Amino acid sequence: MIQDSTFDFLTDLKNNNHREWFQANQKRYDAYKKEYRQLTEAFIAEMSKGDESLSQLEFKDCSFRINRDIRFSKDKSPYKTNMGIWMSAGSKNTNLAGYYVHIEKGASFIAAGIHWPDAADLKKVRREIDGFHEDLEAIVDDPEFKKLYGVLDRDENNSLKTMPKGFDKDHPAIEFLKLKSFTATAKLDDKDIRDKDFVKKTSKKLLTLKPLVEFLNRALTTE
């Protein structure tokens, strides 16, 4: 369960996203960091019950600095205004698929998979789909997957308009092969975040995506 003080801190930071306000509210930030660590460690412990590959993760592997990288961004706001938790067997600095929890008042969600893989990794995933598309079809056709996530995320930026080079236009997995990112996402309400069993209930939802994560990591770790 997220404390109201955490939501309030992030909301106030969003409305006062500058260094002077942040420095004046250092004690609030310290309390936020404490809850961030506690929540992340609770997720690692709960998720590891269903996915042992996460059991060696630590807070530093799953958390993000509050400072934004503004070097190449038009938005020069210096601070992130959400809490993010990334859980992957490869931690933050590898290309492996994993699970993500995004906490932001009115805009929270959970997701899993691999987001915008580079060209080499995208080629590996497409090769896996080419040879074993029945496995991916079984994952997304699972009733629980459909109930919680519907379909793999898809929009005009995430899907090619034509078949990728090297694949038959009549391939039975054409819609999967066109994807450039492989994730499934579900929204969370603020009341979900405040639920006393938030970590347990959310972990159960995320672990529905374990087969997707395993399929993608099988592709990414196969030479």
Side-chain angles (χ1 to χ4, degrees):
M1 179 175 68
I2 292 291
Q3 301 296 320
D4 287 342
S5 58
T6 293
F7 267 146
D8 291 344
F9 171 76
L10 291 173
T11 299
D12 290 346
L13 178 58
K14 188 173 185 177
N15 295 328
N16 301 276
N17 203 326
H18 53 81
R19 188 168 180 269
E20 292 75 16
W21 184 92
F22 189 78
Q23 289 186 321
N25 286 269
Q26 190 64 41
K27 288 185 177 180
R28 293 178 69 188
Y29 175 53
D30 289 341
Y32 165 84
K33 284 194 298 182
K34 183 178 180 180
E35 182 165 25
Y36 190 4
R37 176 181 288 274
Q38 291 173 341
L39 187 66
T40 301
E41 291 175 346
F43 264 111
I44 293 171
E46 190 66 29
M47 289 289 293
S48 296
K49 295 176 183 178
D51 188 339
E52 292 183 0
S53 71
L54 307 176
S55 61
Q56 301 303 313
L57 292 176
E58 299 179 13
F59 172 67
K60 62 182 177 63
D61 303 315
C62 307
S63 57
F64 299 88
R65 297 175 68 244
I66 199 166
N67 301 81
R68 295 180 63 247
D69 184 351
I70 60 175
R71 292 173 298 171
F72 308 107
S73 175
K74 292 182 180 180
D75 180 4
K76 298 303 180 181
S77 302
Y79 305 110
K80 299 184 181 80
T81 56
N82 68 275
M83 180 187 291
I85 301 172
W86 169 249
M87 293 167 285
S88 167
S91 72
K92 290 186 301 184
N93 300 315
T94 70
N95 61 346
L96 294 184
Y99 311 87
Y100 180 66
V101 180
H102 182 99
I103 296 172
E104 182 178 4
K105 192 170 185 178
S108 299
F109 65 89
I110 54 174
I114 182 170
H115 186 64
W116 297 111
D118 62 27
D121 288 334
L122 180 57
K123 185 176 181 179
K124 289 181 179 180
V125 173
R126 284 177 173 160
R127 185 174 62 194
E128 192 75 12
I129 294 172
D130 181 32
F132 304 97
H133 58 87
E134 296 92 346
D135 294 348
L136 183 55
E137 288 163 0
I139 291 168
V140 300
D141 285 341
D142 179 81
E144 197 65 16
F145 180 100
K146 286 186 172 182
K147 176 184 175 182
L148 293 172
Y149 301 97
V151 296
L152 291 181
D153 297 330
R154 185 188 304 273
D155 59 42
E156 60 181 16
N157 295 317
N158 183 35
S159 183
L160 297 172
K161 291 182 172 59
T162 59
M163 197 63 170
K165 186 177 179 181
F167 296 98
D168 191 324
K169 63 181 178 62
D170 295 321
H171 195 291
I174 182 172
E175 295 305 319
F176 291 136
L177 290 167
K178 284 181 179 180
L179 292 175
K180 296 183 284 185
S181 190
F182 302 86
T183 58
T185 304
K187 294 181 179 179
L188 296 176
D189 294 329
D190 290 350
K191 64 179 182 180
D192 296 326
I193 309 295
R194 292 189 169 96
D195 192 305
K196 63 181 179 61
D197 293 321
F198 167 58
V199 172
K200 186 175 182 178
K201 290 180 178 179
T202 304
S203 295
K204 183 178 180 180
K205 292 178 182 178
L206 281 170
L207 288 168
T208 301
L209 297 176
K210 182 183 177 185
L212 174 64
V213 170
E214 291 179 332
F215 176 86
L216 295 170
N217 284 340
R218 185 177 79 193
L220 295 169
T221 55
T222 300
E223 294 298 329

